[in-house]
DNA sequence: ATTATTATTGATATTGATTATCATTATCAT
DNA sequence: ATGATAATGATAATCAATATCAATAATAAT
């Protein structure tokens, strides 16, 4: 089953989400400030991923003296609380690996970085279905698996 | 079926891969230079994803006067030829989106950026299997779907 | 309510990666 | 060999992200 969990800007309980985030901030020892409220508002009300600069520009409309540094600091806190995700954009990030012919994905060791390509994923068909269910026409996907390679598993076992 | 397509450093046809890349460079109008050969050698022989700086440092061992700019330019060419992939590292890239509770993935519109979370992917179980087949113990994965949202599909149709 | 403690803020400076510029050099078709 | 020009690398510029620190604001204690 495929479930759509999205809450978008028109959703009336957006305000509840912000209040919930504020509660979590306080409960974990962070102080509740106007700059932070402005940042939370922007993030909780957006239905797109935003760059720190975009968050900064939007939040300054209600909090003109906001500093960009505060945006970075707030993002870090929200990430530690698992309230936000960091999204990868196509064409960003700069780690280069030789490709293979055809359509493949990568399995990478988080310890030593060694990587292998694989293909033959059965899920590809389901991607279409998920997109269609949400009204999207799919054009591509991004998949990477992370883990420990045989070598690193062995070394970990020895210690 | 899951097929491992990896060619690593010990693989004797690594040299063939570099020759093949050189052939493609020439065939598409690029000149074959010593700095480029040194860069190709590093990338084709590596079994990890490398940053531009890492490629630069390794390639300077055989090509001491190599400039970092040339590394960036060569990467761009190789990317256009689809000979390399740009790999995302965990914790890099800075586009922020509110998360949801639980384990979900994101479907994003490449036109307007609007995004929805989904869960219930059937493939998750297969990830373990793929990793095990390659001798890896999986610890996580990264999946994003890209496409056009309903709104952008409609607008595209109108033009 | 007042005060004390200290987390938070934002101005400023710094770092570090990526891109732009341009005179010099090397490749390759002729 | 020669010439046209693609490619190179030194240098400078840009831009995001991080570090520093005195001033400020939020919270707990009184
Ligand atoms: Mn795929
Ligand atoms: Mn998943
Ligand atoms: Zn490893
Ligand atoms: Zn759209």
């Amino acid at each position: 089953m495929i479930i759509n969990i999205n809450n978008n800007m028109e959703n009336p309980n957006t305000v509840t989400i912000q209040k919930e985030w504020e509660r979590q901030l306080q409960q974990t020892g962070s102080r509740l400030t106007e700059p932070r409220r402005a940042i939370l508002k922007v993030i909780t009300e957006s239905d797109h991923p935003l760059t720190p600069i975009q968050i900064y520009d939007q939040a300054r409309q209600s909090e003109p003296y906001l500093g960009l540094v505060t945006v970075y600091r707030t993002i870090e806190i929200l990430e530690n609380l698992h309230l936000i995700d960091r999204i990868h954009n196509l064409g960003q990030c700069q780690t280069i690996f030789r490709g293979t012919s055809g359509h493949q994905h990568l399995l990478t060791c988080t310890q030593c970085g060694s990587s292998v390509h694989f293909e033959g994923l059965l899920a590809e068909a389901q991607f279409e279905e998920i997109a269609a269910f949400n009204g999207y026409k799919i054009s591509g996907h991004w998949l990477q698996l992370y883990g420990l390679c045989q070598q690193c598993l062995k070394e970990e076992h020895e210690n």
Side-chain angles (χ1 to χ4, degrees), chain A residues 8-129:
Chain A
N8 63 22
M9 209 175 330
E10 298 81 33
N11 191 320
N13 43 355
T14 289
V15 59
T16 311
I17 295 175
Q18 177 166 354
K19 283 277 179 292
E20 166 60 18
W21 287 23
E22 291 178 2
R23 195 188 61 74
Q24 287 203 39
L25 280 181
Q26 282 195 308
Q27 226 171 31
T28 53
S30 291
R31 291 180 182 177
L32 209 48
T33 67
E34 283 312 307
R36 282 185 182 164
R37 277 185 222 271
I39 292 165
L40 293 198
K41 184 168 160 58
V42 169
I43 298 177
T44 55
E45 289 187 352
S46 174
D47 67 348
H48 334 345
L50 300 170
T51 64
I53 311 271
Q54 288 173 321
I55 295 169
Y56 174 61
D57 287 337
Q58 291 188 27
R60 264 191 308 173
Q61 290 174 12
S62 64
E63 191 69 18
Y65 295 105
L66 177 67
L68 178 56
V69 213
T70 301
V71 175
Y72 281 103
R73 285 190 286 232
T74 305
I75 287 171
E76 194 182 349
I77 293 171
L78 294 174
E79 192 178 27
N80 288 337
L81 293 174
H82 299 101
L83 293 174
I84 57 171
D85 292 322
R86 288 179 128 93
I87 304 306
H88 288 267
N89 283 31
L90 295 167
Q92 308 239 115
C93 279
Q94 302 285 21
T95 315
I96 272 67
F97 194 55
R98 58 190 152 66
T100 57
S101 52
H103 180 89
Q104 272 121 42
H105 299 271
L106 208 61
L107 170 57
T108 298
C109 178
T110 53
Q111 184 71 37
C112 73
S114 75
S115 300
V116 294
H117 281 108
F118 64 88
E119 67 177 7
L121 189 74
L122 297 175
E124 309 259 343
Q126 203 196 358
F127 296 162
E128 299 279 353
E129 189 190 335

